[in-house]
Amino acid sequence: DTRSGSCFLCPILQTPMEDPVVLVETGFSYERAAIERWLREKNTDPMTNVILRARPPVLVANLALRECRVQWAEMKLGLAPLDESDSLRRRILRAMLIEDRAGKGKRAA
């Protein structure tokens, strides 16, 4: 559900993904650190329990999911969306602002 942000939760950690990756063999997305830790101990997909054939399993950055999460956070914080002409520096500073505001909300809760 994009309104609640639950679609951005890592299935392993149940926290919002900061560095989402796709486990190529199954197509599911996970937080990079969580799936790497899982795969050091197990040879299965956490969502399906399917035994993975690829050794080592292939992980690919899920850039689309990461961008969607940033846009969702911008919407929740009431920030106007950036367009393609915005500089990389401005995008990075904006992402830092979003993370800072999100962190303050967690500490206050």
Side-chain angles (χ1 to χ4, degrees):
D1 176 16
T2 54
R3 281 182 277 161
S4 69
S6 63
C7 60
F8 304 116
L9 297 181
C10 172
I12 299 170
L13 301 174
Q14 292 300 304
T15 59
M17 291 182 270
E18 301 293 327
D19 185 15
V21 294
V22 175
L23 180 56
V24 171
E25 195 168 326
T26 61
F28 286 102
S29 291
Y30 303 95
E31 176 64 30
R32 182 183 300 276
I35 191 64
E36 287 175 345
R37 189 170 36 254
W38 177 279
L39 293 172
R40 279 194 296 274
E41 299 173 9
K42 301 172 182 154
N43 189 32
T44 59
D45 179 284
M47 289 287 288
T48 64
N49 258 350
V50 167
I51 295 173
L52 303 172
R53 293 182 288 182
R55 292 314 279 157
V58 178
L59 302 174
V60 177
N62 189 334
L63 302 177
L65 182 60
R66 187 182 315 162
E67 181 62 23
C68 286
R69 184 177 180 277
V70 168
Q71 289 176 8
W72 175 82
E74 289 173 344
M75 180 190 71
K76 286 295 192 185
L77 293 170
L79 301 173
L82 295 174
D83 61 33
E84 294 302 316
S85 66
D86 288 301
S87 71
L88 177 59
R89 181 177 178 185
R90 183 166 175 222
R91 288 175 177 267
I92 291 169
L93 290 172
R94 187 181 185 97
M96 291 170 63
L97 169 67
I98 290 168
E99 292 305 316
D100 184 56
R101 287 186 181 177
K104 286 180 181 172
K106 287 179 190 173
R107 289 189 292 274

